[in-house]
Amino acid sequence: MSMGLSTATPLPPASDTDVVTSTFSLVDYVVFVLLLVLSLAIGLYHAYRGWGRHSIGQLLLADRKMGCLPVALSLLATFQSAVAILGVPSEIYRFGTQYWFLGCCYFLGLLIPAHVFIPIFYRLHITSAYEYLELRFNKAVRVCGTVTFIFQMVIYMGVVLYAPSLALNAVTGFDLWLSVLTLGIVCTIYTALGGLKAVIWTDVFQTLVMFLGQLAVIIVGSAKVGGLGHVWEVASQHGLISGIELDPDPFVRHTFWTLAFGGVFMMLSLYGVNQAQVQRYLSSRTEKAAVLSCYAVFPCQQVALSMGCLIGLVMFTYYQEYPMSTQQSQAAPDQFVLYFVMDLLRGLPGLPGLFVACLFSGSLSTISSAFNSLATVTMEDLIRPWFPHVSEVRATMLSRIIAFGYGLLCLGMAYISSQMGPVLQGAIVGLLAGLIMAFWIGIGSIVTSMGSGRALSPPNGSSFSLSSNLTAVTMATLMPSTAASKPTGLQRLYSLSYLWYSAHNSTTVIVVGLAVSLLSGGMRGRTVDPRTIYPVLPKLLALLPLSCQKRLPCRAGSQDLSLEACMFPEKMSNGMLRGSRDQVDMAVPEEGPVQPGISPTFILQETSL
């Protein structure tokens, strides 16, 4: 194959017969193997560095000594999976750049965790995010949350492990189960032996590989079609560049409101309370470092989103000039990107291997984070509370065994994924109600689509087809269908945009939980741990101009009366206000005193509700 790169005349697309058999060279295999070897080497280095002296804190939280930059890159890599690397360009290619507005939600989606969730979690000095649930409610809620997390993560890991391997097999001829086993075994070894520190540093390396692989595609692709300016011009001519869609209808798949605000709830579920991310925050050497790592993710997320969108636009322009082969046009949407990359990088040894390494880096970073977080919650939430006197050495060994066990379970789930049909998208009573609603809408939308004999319509979600033999292939065009009828009744509910799922389910949990609490007598005299409450209203009132604060019954800066007294004067007159000086002291942050203008006793207001 030719080693040269011509920027004037693109190589023609591969024919139907050679698209699978002539794309990978020896150099490509070397690049791919190097990714696996280096990932394993980084993990084993941290595993054997200080072997025999590892504590449970070092294994699960990297001894709480990580800096903000590696933590930030690890935060990014955790959910920048191969599914996203394949899915975002396919989304842009098929539906236009409306999805790009998802970047608007990143600001609030990361600002809120930085200033609300991280201070609470970090100051509680916990290991598992679900420990908070026991401190705030009780042990039953903690166990329920832990089991739910384990259930959904095990299923998710099976799909993340299997889906990219399947797509790679279909396009390049890579042996399917060799890919699955290689990913699973390599990831399991360095995660179980090296713990969180090994996972974070391999994430850093794999993030760089992901960026390099995507950047190579953008540079080579734009050069072959005449530059990024020409790419944008062609996309504009074909209506692919979307304006701001201000339709407030939550049943429209992608609008500005859906992406910018519905996406905030999705971001909070990922970067606010997900154990994999919380664990990284808690591994930071200081609370300030944890907050800075959350800030640093913002530009990284914007770059990752922009690169995925640009690949989609370059792919669209490329195929306008050089139409797809029959095999490519009949492929599932998640295979578009791989066909395009193998087409584009043919004749450039090493670059196809780099992109495959990029794809597998996305899988490795996501899977390793899942293994580590699953081992952590199992150890901290399900074992140590019942066996509190387990020695440090035994706890460390048991954590490694659990991580190995989840690795094997994930391989089993990958096999189950291969036998499945369509891949689903999708206090205690409140949690159960939220789960029921999530499954109801997610499963209902798929069943309704199957029952009507049509493929899953674009407004119904954004799951990307994994294979033509796994799920219905949605070959939607960029032009709206005039024959499609608007759904009504339950079908209308099932067409709720997937980006509103988190908001809908969170609201269900809160509303049902509050209703049950009120009907059952609330806290029944029990005292709420003030460290588990964030003083939202005082923080907001303190931002008001002094002239507005002076008009409040009790000023935000008053040290004589708490804001609770302002809000509940009848409790003050009846002597019902609780919150002794000792309790207030518990709520003072570890890093610095309570901010001026904020009465700390306000955080105790839920005590009496």
Side-chain angles (χ1 to χ4, degrees):
M1 288 180 285
S2 173
M3 292 289 290
L5 169 61
S6 171
T7 57
T9 306
L11 290 170
S15 67
D16 292 356
T17 58
D18 65 2
V19 71
V20 170
T21 59
S22 65
T23 52
F24 247 57
S25 66
L26 178 62
V27 179
D28 296 315
Y29 281 106
V30 170
V31 171
F32 173 64
V33 171
L34 272 177
L35 164 75
L36 299 177
V37 171
L38 289 176
S39 295
L40 190 60
I42 293 171
L44 292 178
Y45 168 75
H46 289 286
Y48 287 102
R49 187 184 179 187
W51 183 265
R53 300 192 303 273
H54 287 168
S55 66
I56 193 71
Q58 290 173 321
L59 196 67
L60 302 183
L61 289 177
D63 213 20
R64 300 184 190 263
K65 292 182 179 178
M66 297 301 300
C68 65
L69 184 58
V71 170
L73 293 177
S74 183
L75 287 169
L76 174 69
T78 297
F79 288 108
Q80 187 69 11
S81 68
V83 176
I85 294 172
L86 294 175
V88 173
S90 176
E91 166 74 21
I92 299 299
Y93 176 86
R94 296 191 296 153
F95 301 112
T97 59
Q98 189 72 38
Y99 184 81
W100 210 329
F101 287 106
L102 182 67
C104 297
C105 80
Y106 291 168
F107 180 72
L108 277 179
L110 292 169
L111 190 66
I112 294 174
H115 291 282
V116 176
F117 293 105
I118 289 178
I120 292 288
F121 288 136
Y122 201 92
R123 295 168 193 177
L124 288 173
H125 210 70
I126 57 180
T127 301
S128 163
Y130 302 101
E131 290 182 60
Y132 171 86
L133 295 179
E134 181 174 359
L135 293 171
R136 179 61 183 85
F137 300 104
N138 57 37
K139 184 170 289 187
V141 180
R142 176 182 180 178
V143 172
C144 190
T146 300
V147 171
T148 302
F149 172 76
I150 292 173
F151 174 74
Q152 64 99 3
M153 284 300 284
V154 167
I155 294 177
Y156 177 58
M157 284 305 96
V159 175
V160 168
L161 184 60
Y162 180 72
S165 298
L166 181 64
L168 195 66
N169 168 262
V171 176
T172 68
F174 249 59
D175 184 85
L176 173 62
W177 289 106
L178 179 61
S179 299
V180 171
L181 289 173
T182 301
L183 273 175
I185 292 172
V186 168
C187 202
T188 300
I189 291 173
Y190 75 72
T191 302
L193 297 180
L196 184 60
K197 181 176 286 189
V199 170
I200 288 177
W201 282 111
T202 51
D203 281 352
V204 171
F205 166 66
Q206 290 156 6
T207 300
L208 297 177
V209 173
M210 283 189 277
F211 279 144
L212 283 175
Q214 290 176 292
L215 188 61
V217 173
I218 293 172
I219 292 174
V220 175
S222 60
K224 284 190 175 183
V225 297
L228 285 177
H230 180 64
V231 168
W232 195 266
E233 182 181 349
V234 171
S236 298
Q237 290 173 356
H238 289 81
L240 215 65
I241 307 301
S242 305
I244 298 179
E245 176 58 65
L246 296 176
D247 188 347
D249 187 355
F251 298 98
V252 176
R253 184 168 178 266
H254 284 161
T255 67
F256 174 79
W257 308 113
T258 297
L259 291 161
F261 292 99
V264 169
F265 288 89
M266 180 186 72
M267 288 292 291
L268 291 179
S269 71
L270 297 178
Y271 287 90
V273 295
N274 187 280
Q275 171 63 25
Q277 308 294 55
V278 170
Q279 208 167 328
R280 278 151 180 75
Y281 299 143
L282 298 175
S283 71
S284 301
R285 60 171 61 100
T286 63
E287 182 182 321
K288 183 178 180 180
V291 172
L292 287 176
S293 69
C294 203
Y295 283 161
V297 173
F298 178 75
C300 296
Q301 282 279 21
Q302 297 290 354
V303 170
L305 176 63
S306 297
M307 292 178 77
C309 293
L310 285 174
I311 290 175
L313 294 178
V314 170
M315 179 167 65
F316 182 85
T317 304
Y318 182 87
Y319 283 126
Q320 290 302 308
E321 298 185 21
Y322 304 92
M324 292 183 176
S325 65
T326 304
Q327 181 179 1
Q328 293 169 328
S329 62
Q330 294 176 350
D334 68 312
Q335 296 174 357
F336 288 172
V337 178
L338 277 170
Y339 274 121
F340 164 65
V341 169
M342 296 307 158
D343 241 6
L344 180 70
L345 302 180
R346 248 177 347 112
L348 299 172
L351 290 186
L354 178 61
F355 186 79
V356 171
C358 158
L359 195 65
F360 274 64
S361 291
S363 291
L364 283 169
S365 60
T366 302
I367 295 167
S368 63
S369 299
F371 287 171
N372 188 258
S373 60
L374 286 168
T376 300
V377 298
T378 302
M379 189 67 197
E380 294 297 317
D381 297 327
L382 301 181
I383 295 178
R384 295 192 88 173
W386 305 104
F387 303 96
H389 302 298
V390 175
S391 67
E392 194 77 6
V393 174
R394 288 189 177 182
T396 302
M397 183 57 66
L398 185 57
S399 295
R400 289 195 170 106
I401 293 172
I402 291 171
F404 271 114
Y406 277 118
L408 297 176
L409 180 60
C410 191
L411 289 172
M413 286 305 303
Y415 176 76
I416 293 174
S417 296
S418 70
Q419 305 300 315
M420 289 171 60
V423 178
L424 303 184
Q425 188 190 84
I428 299 177
V429 176
L431 174 62
L432 291 176
L435 288 173
I436 290 170
M437 293 299 290
F439 279 110
W440 179 25
I441 293 178
I443 296 174
S445 62
I446 293 177
V447 171
T448 301
S449 299
M450 292 173 62
S452 63
R454 59 182 175 82
L456 203 61
S457 61
N460 204 28
S462 73
S463 61
F464 303 105
S465 304
L466 299 181
S467 170
S468 55
N469 69 339
L470 277 182
T471 187
V473 179
T474 306
M475 297 302 295
T477 63
L478 294 174
M479 298 298 294
S481 173
T482 56
S485 59
K486 204 167 185 179
T488 58
L490 280 179
Q491 291 186 1
R492 177 70 169 166
L493 177 63
Y494 295 153
S495 67
L496 179 70
S497 173
Y498 71 99
L499 284 169
W500 286 112
Y501 281 5
S502 291
H504 174 271
N505 299 333
S506 299
T507 303
T508 301
V509 171
I510 293 171
V511 171
V512 174
L514 286 175
V516 172
S517 295
L518 290 172
L519 292 174
S520 61
M523 295 298 295
R524 297 179 182 176
R526 288 178 295 161
T527 302
V528 175
D529 187 339
R531 298 172 302 166
T532 64
I533 307 297
Y534 185 81
V536 177
L537 187 57
K539 295 269 188 186
L540 295 176
L541 291 179
L543 298 176
L544 293 175
L546 287 176
S547 58
C548 295
Q549 292 186 27
K550 291 177 181 179
R551 296 178 183 177
L552 295 173
C554 297
R555 295 191 301 275
S558 173
Q559 298 299 317
D560 298 322
L561 295 174
S562 69
L563 283 172
E564 185 183 10
C566 298
M567 298 179 62
F568 305 103
E570 71 283 357
K571 295 183 180 181
M572 173 65 77
S573 61
N574 296 331
M576 294 175 61
L577 276 180
R578 285 176 284 186
S580 65
R581 184 69 251 170
D582 292 337
Q583 286 178 308
V584 173
D585 289 340
M586 291 173 63
V588 176
E590 291 182 5
E591 295 185 9
V594 176
Q595 297 179 16
I598 299 177
S599 175
T601 51
F602 172 76
I603 64 177
L604 300 177
Q605 65 171 310
E606 283 201 28
T607 302
S608 54
L609 296 181

